[in-house]
Amino acid sequence: MGVVLGSAAQAQAPGEVTAIIGATVFDATGTAPRIANVVIRDGRIAAVGPKVRAPRGARVVDAKGLALLPGFFDVHTHWTPNGAPATTPQIASAYVAAGVTTVNDFHQSPESWAPRRQWLSTLYAPHVNMTARTSTPGGHGADWADQNTTKWVNTPEAARQAIRELVPYKPDVIKAFADGWRYGTAPDNTSMDVGTLAALVDEAHKNGLKVGTHTVTVDRGAVAARAKVDFIAHSLQDREIDGETVAALREAGTVYAPTLAVYEPVKPGQKPPENPQDPRFQQSVRKFGYALKNVKALSDGGVPIALGTDAGMPNTPHGVSTLREMELLVQAGLTPTQALMAGTANSARVLGLIDDRGTIEAGKRADLVLVAGRPWAEISDVRKTVRVFINGRPVHGPGVTLPKANSETAMPAVPVKALVDDFERGDGRTSLDTLRTDDMDGGIDRTVQVSQVIDRAGGGKALALAARMAVESEPQAAVILPLTRGSVQPANVSAFKGVRLELRGDGGPYKVMLNTLNGRWAAEVKAGPAWTTVEVPFSSLARAPGRGAGKGPWTGTDVVEVEVGGTREGGRKLWLELDNVSFY
């Protein structure tokens, strides 16, 4: 994997020199902590040692009595709008404040990476590795969103093709939802077989990409080892691990990032359940006990431990959960030094970044955190953040003011052209050069949907959508037309009065939806076998209940998608044809 560059907003100015004087340095190389000085030049560590002096004109940071460590890593996070905090700038700020300087984001679609990378470049933010997702049909991660967000694979050939399709997006890491995620408590109907997983890993490695797996049972841990995955990004927690599986993971070179923070039954600040004998709570306690024991067994057995949290999932907030993970590693039986190594050099090594960062050595990227205390003796001292440096520039601490962009909740809205899509392009993209996506209901048994561009009688092209509804409440089939790439940057459509489209179908009803950063708006329309022109004034839109309902009036200033589809009873079919979608 190539070096992931930090944001322009946090790069040390060319020729700028900083000297950190008198810190006790934990360099994550295996050397005991020692008092030393560190000189940073052009964003990298120029020199480290007790006799190193501050160059003339350097900005001097008096660090006497403080501990200096490499910036922390989190190899498993989800920058989801349902997390805490919820938007990219606030998530970035939370990591920076915690001294977390490199993370993997497992949540976003490849189409979103380019605008998200641009957005991050305006922020004080950690280095964010964009992670491509693969799963099996109906498997965890494929039970929501579209096949651009999560590639569906269940054969070696499909796995290799998925990697080839992802490479042009320049992913930093590949994630495979390799097992059925039922934690050994329900039927496993969706796990990835070892041949498919091994082919996926091999194709990724041919393209210089590391692979992490969602793996949560001991037996599936053995499968991950056989496939030679680079790291497991969850706990094996259905039973105590056996020596044979430990040996298999060690011999495969697989690293273990147990995400204890997401599994902790009663998280910091939470109240214990009113009924501690509740079967679900007891199950979580039992699984967490196995998770703790297995971290220790794997570490003792020679399997390197990295740091991941699953932050962004319920009650697992960004930033502080990374620090909590180190405390939980110690609770599991690792030493504070081992926990610090997990959060620094070990994680850098598994991501292929150890030559660039993860230790405090000359030539390395100056991603550093100063804390009060001695975290190699008392791990909770990692919470006592004093200063943070990314690319040599101070991004947290005395005298540091975050850029205004870090306080925003969205990118600035942009105007868009009236024509959204006339379906004349042959590459699956709209007239706005965005990727059309399908939007079915979620779950293992999802609505089966096919949307494709077809020839229209009389000339030109149209989009045809056909679906068989899943047998569940409120199944859905729809096509999404993003207004900006990856639906990241909002569009301002307030200069228009509504959306117009040409439609024909099975009679309906159908829904025309405008998806915004503040919820979904919808209007019901009907269409029979003959083509008809439908106009939906913005004034006729009503807030759609359910997912992302939002609050407040319609503004038209934060729209990200136009969506057209419908729902039928479970097992029934739906069809429609769509053309010339535009604002008017």
Side-chain angles (χ1 to χ4, degrees), residues 307-340:
L307 192 150
T309 61
D310 213 7
M313 294 296 101
N315 302 309
T316 313
H318 296 283
V320 294
S321 292
T322 309
L323 309 182
R324 179 60 178 162
E325 185 75 13
M326 285 187 260
E327 294 173 337
L328 291 172
L329 290 174
V330 172
Q331 183 179 324
L334 274 62
T335 67
T337 292
Q338 289 174 316
L340 292 173

Side-chain angles (χ1 to χ4, degrees), residues 37 125 129 254 283 347 436 446 542:
N37 303 324
N129 296 324
T254 301
Q283 182 189 85
S347 292
R436 286 189 297 272
R446 303 185 70 178

Side-chain angles (χ1 to χ4, degrees), residues 74-136:
D74 196 324
V75 303
H76 188 161
T77 76
H78 292 265
W79 290 40
T80 162
N82 298 318
T87 59
T88 290
Q90 286 69 49
I91 294 171
S93 298
Y95 280 114
V96 166
V100 182
T101 58
T102 300
V103 304
N104 293 343
D105 176 19
F106 282 8
H107 206 79
Q108 308 296 336
S109 72
E111 274 289 304
S112 76
W113 295 346
R116 291 190 70 237
R117 283 167 170 149
Q118 193 279 326
W119 193 2
L120 287 162
S121 75
T122 68
L123 308 173
Y124 281 5
H127 309 281
V128 181
N129 296 324
M130 302 300 174
T131 306
R133 301 154 52 97
T134 61
S135 185
T136 58

Side-chain angles (χ1 to χ4, degrees), residues 96-99 323 369-372 381-388 396:
V96 166
L323 309 182
V369 55
L370 269 172
V371 303
D381 285 349
V382 293
R383 294 179 177 270
K384 301 176 181 178
T385 311
V386 177
R387 293 179 185 269
V388 179
H396 175 81

